[in-house]
Amino acid sequence: MRFLLLATVFFSFAGAVSAATVDDQFRAWLQNDLWPEAKSKGISHATFSAAFDGVKPNLKLPDLVLPGQKPKTPKKQHQAEFGSPGSYFAEKIVAAVSNGGRVRAGRYAATLRQIEKRYGVPGSVVLAIWGRESGFGAAKMPYDAFEVLGTKAFMATRKEMFRQELLAALEIVQRGLAPVGAMKSSWAGALGQPQFMPTSFLKHAVDFDGDGKTDIWNSVPDVMGSIANYLVHYGWVKGRGWGYEVTAPEAVSCSLEGPDRGKPVAAWSKLGVRRVDGKPFPAGESAAESFLMMPAGRHGPAFLVTPNFYVLKEYNTSDLYALFIGLGADRIARGDHRFSTQWGAVGGLYRSDIAALQRALEKEGYDVGSADGLPGFKTRRSIGEWQTKNGRAATCYPDAELVQSVK
């Protein structure tokens, strides 16, 4: 599962510590630190040796910290510009997923019907995730998973997390679920076409084609079945979609956004929230809880989303990712569907600016989630609450003037 954001900067280790020294330290760490724990978890010496045969730390991977040094925030990452959410929905990318999904919806129709019958997850959703994660299997998996996970477990900023993933990868091989040579991954250690981290593979991957192997690298039924199984394990509600694009009148504050501020669909309707296509909400949805979601505040489209939207976020912890999957699934199922509301001209701030804004709001008692420079829903609604408290129109999205005012 791809739940990590790709770093934009890679550290340079030239002149700091020689590669040979790091290699020696890595081998010592493997034998003296990792092996005892792996052995205690039932990993054989043969499996352990095969996994790390010829493996050396890959110093070109992101987010590494040399042994004996402290983590540093790369300057360029700190100053990365935050763009408009609209750029996430570039038509070229959405079209590749939706067009490719429609082709495969016909090709694998029987398998998708079986998946929907067993798991209750629409085939269009499964296809949208498959397309987004690996281009329906076209994306290359150029890395040795043990090289990536070994390097990161030894010297990454989140090495404890990667240590657990590395031990899970060893368990996959030990249990005969995949041979060492098949353990190809992304730069983050995510496996196969669904991009599952090893712990997710162990929890969610399935042998849907019934051949006795769970092969998320080569078997399309296993890939699609595993994606559906993942969503079910995180609470997918059968019979409900992901959400609807809506119009929200000014009287409905954008600060009402969030999964902890849900209301029945009937209550949102009473407040004046309407579907943009003019259709009524399905009668069966009237008493069901839904949530306001405005990824660009008042500068872009608004949505009423179901709990299934937040299940999609379990695949990748991003509002925009879940929204992309929802849009892609709708287009696979219904053709050339697009958002009706345009994205406003927002963005242009540095992540460090937004982080400073978040810290200033935190000092005033607002819960922004995390001062990470990314305007998630807690930051957006905190901005709206601050604007209302200070006599301003609530937009729920950061801009340069707001950054200066809150400071």
Side-chain angles (χ1 to χ4, degrees):
M1 181 184 67
R2 192 183 59 195
F3 62 88
L4 301 173
L5 297 177
L6 178 60
T8 57
V9 177
F10 296 88
F11 289 154
S12 172
F13 297 102
V17 178
S18 72
T21 299
V22 174
D23 289 350
D24 290 343
Q25 291 175 322
F26 178 69
R27 301 311 301 187
W29 172 79
L30 285 176
Q31 294 305 317
N32 301 327
D33 189 336
L34 187 66
W35 164 241
E37 183 174 4
K39 182 179 180 181
S40 73
K41 293 182 178 295
I43 306 301
S44 71
H45 193 269
T47 295
F48 192 87
S49 297
F52 294 106
D53 183 27
V55 170
K56 295 182 178 181
N58 184 342
L59 302 186
K60 294 182 180 180
L61 294 172
D63 301 325
L64 303 183
V65 181
L66 279 171
Q69 294 190 1
K70 295 181 178 180
K72 296 180 180 179
T73 302
K75 184 176 180 181
K76 199 170 182 180
Q77 169 75 2
H78 184 60
Q79 289 295 328
E81 189 172 287
F82 187 84
S84 167
S87 62
Y88 197 89
F89 303 92
E91 179 57 25
K92 181 179 180 180
I93 301 174
V94 177
V97 170
S98 57
N99 294 340
R102 282 196 292 272
V103 169
R104 287 161 181 82
R107 184 182 303 167
Y108 302 115
T111 301
L112 288 166
R113 283 195 297 270
Q114 293 172 353
I115 287 171
E116 186 160 358
K117 182 178 180 180
R118 181 181 300 183
Y119 299 110
V121 179
S124 57
V125 172
V126 171
L127 290 168
I129 292 174
W130 182 21
R132 179 67 185 183
E133 291 298 322
S134 65
F136 305 103
K140 302 297 182 183
M141 295 296 128
Y143 293 96
D144 179 315
F146 291 104
E147 176 187 87
V148 171
L149 296 170
T151 300
K152 288 179 170 286
F154 175 56
M155 56 190 301
T157 53
R158 293 193 286 177
K159 60 184 180 181
E160 287 305 317
M161 184 204 78
F162 283 104
R163 184 186 185 96
Q164 298 310 308
E165 296 297 343
L166 179 56
L167 290 166
L170 288 167
E171 183 180 346
I172 290 170
V173 174
Q174 181 66 39
R175 289 170 53 183
L177 299 175
V180 168
M183 295 288 283
K184 300 300 181 183
S185 77
S186 70
W187 65 272
L191 305 172
Q193 296 185 41
Q195 286 292 271
F196 281 177
M197 294 301 286
T199 53
S200 288
F201 179 101
L202 291 173
K203 294 174 184 176
H204 311 299
V206 296
D207 171 22
F208 198 81
D209 61 14
D211 67 352
K213 299 181 293 183
T214 303
D215 185 358
I216 63 171
W217 291 269
N218 303 295
S219 169
V220 169
D222 289 4
V223 168
M224 297 193 300
S226 296
I227 291 171
N229 192 45
Y230 182 101
L231 297 177
V232 167
H233 284 174
Y234 279 102
W236 185 270
V237 181
K238 183 178 180 179
R240 296 196 76 185
W242 67 271
Y244 312 87
E245 186 182 356
V246 300
T247 57
E250 291 297 327
V252 176
S253 174
C254 50
S255 63
L256 292 175
E257 181 182 4
D260 53 349
R261 297 184 178 178
K263 301 177 186 294
V265 169
W268 289 113
S269 296
K270 190 173 182 180
L271 292 173
V273 175
R274 300 286 185 267
R275 292 177 63 175
V276 294
D277 58 12
K279 297 178 181 179
F281 293 105
E285 290 280 293
S286 181
E289 189 174 35
S290 292
F291 313 91
L292 184 64
M293 208 276 290
M294 302 178 73
R298 286 287 178 185
H299 302 295
F303 306 88
L304 271 191
V305 299
T306 74
N308 286 340
F309 177 86
Y310 294 101
V311 173
L312 294 176
K313 278 190 68 174
E314 294 290 345
Y315 215 102
N316 183 318
T317 55
S318 161
D319 288 334
L320 299 183
Y321 175 88
L323 192 56
F324 183 100
I325 298 303
L327 173 64
D330 285 351
R331 286 180 62 161
I332 290 169
R334 304 205 300 264
D336 192 22
H337 173 72
R338 304 184 186 218
F339 297 144
S340 297
T341 305
Q342 298 297 310
W343 299 93
V346 295
L349 293 173
Y350 290 122
R351 281 186 59 177
S352 54
D353 292 328
I354 298 175
L357 170 65
Q358 290 168 323
R359 289 191 294 270
L361 288 169
E362 283 180 329
K363 289 181 180 178
E364 294 193 30
Y366 293 95
D367 177 9
V368 300
S370 175
D372 57 4
L374 299 173
F377 77 88
K378 287 187 176 181
T379 294
R380 296 194 295 267
R381 71 189 189 189
S382 293
I383 288 171
E385 290 168 353
W386 183 92
Q387 289 170 321
T388 299
K389 181 180 177 181
N390 287 273
R392 301 178 177 218
T395 65
C396 297
Y397 207 76
D399 58 46
E401 190 277 331
L402 180 69
V403 169
Q404 294 302 316
S405 296
V406 177
K407 282 183 179 179

